[in-house]
Amino acid sequence: MMAALVFVFIVLAAASSGAIFKPGEWYESLRKPSWTPPKWAFPVVWTLLYAAITYAGWQVWERAGWSLPMMFWAMQIVVNAFWSWFFFGLRRMGLALVDIFLLWVSIAGFILTAWPVSEVAALLFLPYLVWVTIAGCLNYSVLRLNARR
């Protein structure tokens, strides 16, 4: 049970970057594509995703310990924590886009390497990969629409 609590703590720590670096007035002033998800969707989706990330990491840890899938899990949680700082904190949309690319790669790496260890853990990361793909497209679109900012 202690391992599960450690995963909860790690994920909450990473998620806190979104609470520290919030969209705010700057983001509201940016041009965004028409398909931008509504504001309410972000906390709802991220809450569900963070629960899945926690459970998936814990499941793989319990079955394989420090292993290649756990390296990808660790990479994705660190990269995940930096995105809000890059985009909202530093207002560096290009850097945030690079971060999303690394996040996407680390999520895909986890899915591929975790599958033999826990199919459930790998499957729990599929919605995460979809959401990060959408986030990457949104990040890119906002960057292009606001190229002069």
Side-chain angles (χ1 to χ4, degrees), residues 120-132:
V120 170
L123 289 171
L124 283 171
F125 262 53
L126 287 177
Y128 185 23
L129 187 65
V130 170
W131 185 254
V132 167

Side-chain angles (χ1 to χ4, degrees), residues 79-125:
V79 174
N80 177 310
F82 276 99
W83 186 86
S84 292
W85 179 50
F86 292 151
F87 196 93
F88 300 122
L90 298 177
R91 299 179 181 175
R92 299 278 310 273
M93 292 183 271
L95 186 56
L97 190 58
V98 171
D99 184 86
I100 283 210
F101 173 75
L102 294 173
L103 182 56
W104 196 96
V105 168
S106 61
I107 295 167
F110 178 83
I111 292 168
L112 293 172
T113 60
W115 186 267
V117 178
S118 170
E119 291 176 10
V120 170
L123 289 171
L124 283 171
F125 262 53

Side-chain angles (χ1 to χ4, degrees), residues 5-110:
L5 292 175
V6 169
F7 277 91
V8 168
F9 176 76
I10 291 169
V11 171
L12 286 175
S16 71
S17 70
I20 295 167
F21 303 104
K22 297 177 183 179
E25 290 179 29
W26 171 77
Y27 181 72
E28 293 303 321
S29 73
L30 296 175
R31 293 176 55 212
K32 295 173 225 33
S34 61
W35 51 268
T36 301
K39 287 181 197 179
W40 64 262
F42 292 92
V44 171
V45 171
W46 276 113
T47 298
L48 295 171
L49 291 176
Y50 282 132
I53 292 165
T54 302
Y55 185 78
W58 175 61
Q59 282 298 294
V60 172
W61 176 262
E62 288 292 307
R63 294 174 183 193
W66 190 244
S67 56
L68 185 57
M70 289 310 302
M71 288 182 207
F72 279 115
W73 190 94
M75 180 178 159
Q76 67 76 30
I77 204 67
V78 169
V79 174
N80 177 310
F82 276 99
W83 186 86
S84 292
W85 179 50
F86 292 151
F87 196 93
F88 300 122
L90 298 177
R91 299 179 181 175
R92 299 278 310 273
M93 292 183 271
L95 186 56
L97 190 58
V98 171
D99 184 86
I100 283 210
F101 173 75
L102 294 173
L103 182 56
W104 196 96
V105 168
S106 61
I107 295 167
F110 178 83

